[in-house]
Amino acid sequence: MPTRDRRRFVPRAIAYFLRQDHPRKELVIVDNGTDPVDDLLSTLPTVRYHRVTPGITVGAARNLACELASGSVIAHWDDDDWQAPDRLTRQVGQLEAARADLCGTTSVLYYDPAAERAWRFTWPSGLPRWLAGQSLCYRRDLWLRSPFPDRSAAEDSVFVRRLADRSHILTTPGDPLVALVHPRNTVPKTSRNVYCSPAPMAEVRALLGPDLGFYLTGTPQGCGRQGPR
C-alpha cells in the first residue's frame, strides 16, 4: 500500500485489510508523504510500515513494497479504495486454482461521494490486455522478472502490458473493490470517457453496506463488521 498524505483514509484501509478472511496476510505500507502516518498504525505484526523520502514515484513505491513483502503473492492495496472482505481469498484462490500468474478486473465501479453518483469503467475485450491497477494480484516471482517502471502514472498498465504475451493472466469477476473519487486522487477520475457508463447508486449501497457512512460523513460505521460480499 503506497500512501502519501492521506491521513483520513489510512485507518480505513487498515481496517479493510484486517477484516480480510484470508488466514495468511500482511500489509506492507510504503509512506512517501510529508505527513508521516506511523502514529495511526496498529501494532499487529501483520501490518508493516516503511517510511521513505517524500516524492518518490508510485512505481518506485510499489517496487519497494514488493521487495519488502514476505509472501509469494502480491495484492495491490490502494489506500483510498473500498475492499470486499473476501478480496484476498477470492483472488489468491483464483490464481492457485488455475495456476495463473496474474489476475485483476477489467471493469471498475467508481464512486464519487461528494456528488453522490457512480459510474463503471469497462475495458473492451478487443483492445490490448488491460487490468485495473488497484485490483492487481500476482505472484512475486512475476514482479522479480518485470518490476514496475519508475513513474507515477500508468505504471500498473505498463506492468500488465509487458507481461501480457508471456504470462497466464485471468480476469477477476465481480467487484472485489470500489474505487473512490476525491480531490486527492493520484490521477484525476472522470466519467467522461467512452468506456464509462452511469451506475446506479443502489449498486454502491449494496456493496458497501454500513461502510457507506464513512464516505458520506467521514465517521467510521461498521468498521469491524464484514459488509455484503
Side-chain angles (χ1 to χ4, degrees):
M1 185 179 96
T3 189
R4 182 178 182 179
D5 298 331
R6 289 183 178 168
R7 176 169 288 269
R8 178 193 171 206
F9 295 115
V10 168
R12 174 63 42 155
I14 294 172
Y16 290 155
F17 165 76
L18 292 176
R19 74 179 184 183
Q20 291 293 301
D21 59 12
H22 195 279
R24 298 173 61 194
K25 58 183 181 287
E26 69 171 357
L27 180 63
V28 179
I29 299 174
V30 176
D31 183 357
N32 72 331
T34 58
D35 174 24
V37 296
D38 52 324
D39 60 301
L40 301 177
L41 304 185
S42 167
T43 57
L44 292 175
T46 53
V47 179
R48 299 166 55 197
Y49 178 83
H50 193 83
R51 172 84 174 145
V52 296
T53 303
I56 69 168
T57 66
V58 176
R62 292 201 189 282
N63 285 333
L64 178 57
C66 291
E67 181 181 341
L68 294 171
S70 58
S72 60
V73 174
I74 307 291
H76 286 192
W77 201 263
D78 280 15
D79 57 9
D80 54 353
D81 287 345
W82 176 85
Q83 310 279 353
D86 66 341
R87 182 197 160 187
L88 294 180
T89 297
R90 193 188 313 182
Q91 290 195 292
V92 173
Q94 186 182 22
L95 288 183
E96 296 191 347
R99 297 185 178 179
D101 301 308
L102 168 68
C103 66
T105 61
T106 56
S107 179
V108 182
L109 182 62
Y110 285 91
Y111 170 47
D112 182 349
E116 260 297 274
R117 68 189 187 99
W119 65 86
R120 185 174 290 279
F121 175 91
T122 303
W123 187 253
S125 58
L127 295 182
R129 197 65 183 265
W130 177 88
L131 297 174
Q134 64 264 63
S135 73
L136 296 185
C137 182
Y138 48 91
R139 299 189 185 277
R140 190 172 184 273
D141 288 346
L142 192 70
W143 166 77
L144 285 171
R145 299 199 301 269
S146 182
F148 290 93
D150 188 11
R151 56 193 292 181
S152 287
E155 82 291 339
D156 39 29
S157 297
V158 173
F159 177 77
V160 173
R161 189 164 60 244
R162 285 175 177 172
L163 298 166
D165 296 330
R166 50 194 176 97
S167 305
H168 186 185
I169 299 177
L170 300 175
T171 299
T172 301
D175 289 299
L177 55 85
V178 174
L180 186 69
V181 180
H182 59 90
R184 294 188 59 84
N185 284 129
T186 303
V187 178
K189 310 301 181 187
T190 177
S191 60
R192 296 177 181 177
N193 185 297
V194 66
Y195 304 138
C196 291
S197 58
M201 275 302 301
E203 192 172 351
V204 175
R205 295 188 190 101
L207 281 168
L208 271 61
D211 296 327
L212 183 65
F214 171 79
Y215 302 104
L216 295 177
T217 67
T219 303
Q221 297 180 18
C223 190
R225 290 177 287 170
Q226 293 190 359
R229 300 189 181 184

